Amino acid sequence: MDCLFCKIIDRKIPAQFVHEDEHAVAIQDINPQAPVHLLVIPRKHLVALSDAAAQDQMLLGHLLRIGAELARERGLEAQGFRTVINNGAGAGQTVFHLHVHVLGGRPFHWPPG
Ligand code: AMP
Ligand code: ZN
């Protein structure tokens, strides 16, 4: 399958890994939008959040929990951090393998752009 994140997970394309477990990996975003910008990626190829089914419920929770843990490890809990899932090109999704952005280390505004 011609999927960038599947290739990264399979170590066919290099990336800076910050976490790995049975169900997910986390890497540094190659084009960071904040001092901390990580991507939590399920090993299972789901195209987007809207591709997830009932059987993926545990996996979705896992991705968020790992994101929070990585943010906590980086001391971001007090100042806050942001998790983002872009779903579909219209929402800014450019890699069509589900991933959770974890951003921190600068102020964030609301509503997002
Ligand atoms: P999205 O636009 O929500 O689909 O997010 C895709 C993210 O993947 C963007 O923030 C990109 O900077 C990031 N990205 C693209 N290619 C790579 C790569 N080879 N290694 C790490 N991150 C990447
Ligand atoms: Zn994939």
Side-chain angles (χ1 to χ4, degrees), residues 82 106-113:
R82 182 166 288 180
R106 67 167 170 84
F108 292 95
H109 304 289
W110 196 262

Side-chain angles (χ1 to χ4, degrees), residues 4-5 8 13-15 27-33 37 39 85-86 92-96 99 101:
L4 175 65
F5 287 170
I8 285 177
I13 290 176
I27 62 170
Q28 309 254 25
D29 196 292
I30 204 167
N31 182 23
Q33 301 302 311
H37 188 171
L39 302 173
I85 300 174
N86 295 320
Q93 187 175 4
T94 58
V95 178
F96 292 88
H99 51 283
H101 296 259

Side-chain angles (χ1 to χ4, degrees), residues 3 6 45 97:
C3 169
C6 283
H45 179 91
H97 178 135

Side-chain angles (χ1 to χ4, degrees), residues 2-71:
D2 194 27
C3 169
L4 175 65
F5 287 170
C6 283
K7 287 179 183 163
I8 285 177
I9 289 164
D10 292 343
R11 306 280 180 160
K12 289 177 181 147
I13 290 176
Q16 296 287 334
F17 282 74
V18 296
H19 174 84
E20 265 196 278
D21 65 48
E22 189 185 344
H23 301 294
V25 305
I27 62 170
Q28 309 254 25
D29 196 292
I30 204 167
N31 182 23
Q33 301 302 311
V36 175
H37 188 171
L38 308 176
L39 302 173
V40 187
I41 309 170
R43 290 188 186 276
K44 179 177 178 180
H45 179 91
L46 295 169
V47 170
L49 180 60
S50 54
D51 192 29
Q55 68 197 30
D56 301 312
Q57 193 159 311
M58 293 275 285
L59 179 60
L60 295 179
H62 182 70
L63 301 177
L64 291 175
R65 194 181 64 73
I66 294 300
E69 199 171 296
L70 293 169

